[in-house]
Amino acid sequence: MLNELYQKIRDAFTDRELVLGEGNERADIMLIGEAPGRTEVELGRPFVGKAGKNLDMFLAHIRLRREDIYITNCVKFRPTRISEWGSVANRPPTPEEILAQRDFLMEEINIIDPKVLVTLGGVPLKSVMNDMGASIGAFHGRPCTGKSGRTLFPLYHPASIIYKRELAATYEKDMDRLAEYISALG
Ligand code: URA
């Protein structure tokens, strides 16, 4: 079923280099990031660049291994812009890009059928909540239920603490809460 979905996504975005989800297809925990970056596109895998190092630290903190979970992004290609120096840089996905891939993400969630969705940052929160106004500042660090009835545990994006050092303590506390939440799930 997952392979059929991956093919549908490839057919819908034939002009893009895609990075699809990977990991344990029977996972209780599904991690949803924003979109792949340059290294992810080069290697064709989610969360393997600098964000992957953050992810490894994150997994160690909540005492899980990469093979225990399923990891994907809500946008499967790298959104780019040309920087002021003329190089190719990342940019956040637009609401149109998020919405254009939302049905695929929902299908992916239904196939994996995890007990909890851990969204990393504002973009996957908006996508899963189907609310482009949902703000990570209001939802982070505690479980909530999306319109679909799925349980979400929103976290800040691990990369955001690099740019906003003041978030680091909050992020640690949120991860501790998530670890407690997961161990209570059994
Ligand atoms: N790499 C990913 O695969 N997703 C992100 O959200 C950031 C980096």
Side-chain angles (χ1 to χ4, degrees):
M1 267 197 311
L2 209 45
N3 283 337
E4 283 162 28
L5 171 65
Y6 291 166
Q7 193 53 50
K8 270 201 280 186
I9 302 175
R10 286 193 197 98
D11 292 343
F13 298 99
T14 48
D15 54 342
R16 298 285 193 161
E17 287 184 287
L18 299 174
V19 176
L20 301 173
E22 70 169 29
N24 187 334
E25 295 179 20
R26 299 175 58 209
D28 287 338
I29 294 149
M30 177 166 174
L31 222 67
I32 309 176
E34 183 175 303
R38 183 164 56 96
T39 313
E40 284 77 18
V41 171
E42 273 166 18
L43 300 178
R45 296 181 59 203
F47 283 96
V48 286
K50 215 188 276 170
K53 292 222 175 70
N54 289 324
L55 181 73
D56 292 341
M57 270 166 19
F58 163 77
L59 288 174
H61 199 107
I62 61 171
R63 295 181 290 280
L64 285 175
R65 295 164 308 165
R66 215 174 153 109
E67 57 266 38
D68 296 328
I69 61 169
Y70 181 86
I71 308 176
T72 196
N73 283 300
C74 58
V75 170
K76 273 38 177 196
F77 56 75
R78 179 188 180 204
T80 56
R81 64 184 172 86
I82 301 301
S83 78
E84 55 193 292
W85 301 283
S87 58
V88 179
N90 295 340
R91 63 164 170 79
T94 62
E96 291 72 27
E97 287 168 335
I98 298 169
L99 289 172
Q101 301 198 33
R102 185 173 184 277
D103 285 351
F104 291 131
L105 178 65
M106 292 303 122
E107 215 178 303
E108 197 174 10
I109 292 170
N110 287 334
I111 292 171
I112 303 298
D113 195 24
K115 287 187 182 156
V116 59
L117 301 169
V118 178
T119 53
L120 299 178
V123 170
L125 173 70
K126 289 177 169 62
S127 178
V128 175
M129 296 292 271
N130 201 14
D131 177 0
M132 291 302 128
S135 144
I136 184 66
F139 284 96
H140 71 94
R142 59 187 164 82
C144 62
T145 308
K147 283 184 192 145
S148 63
R150 296 249 170 215
T151 303
L152 249 71
F153 201 110
L155 291 180
Y156 281 106
H157 196 283
S160 66
I161 57 169
I162 299 171
Y163 309 110
K164 289 192 195 151
R165 290 305 305 165
E166 70 276 15
L167 281 184
T170 306
Y171 185 67
E172 287 234 344
K173 211 185 288 167
D174 288 355
M175 285 194 297
D176 288 340
R177 290 203 189 122
L178 174 61
E180 268 171 43
Y181 182 76
I182 289 171
S183 70
L185 281 180

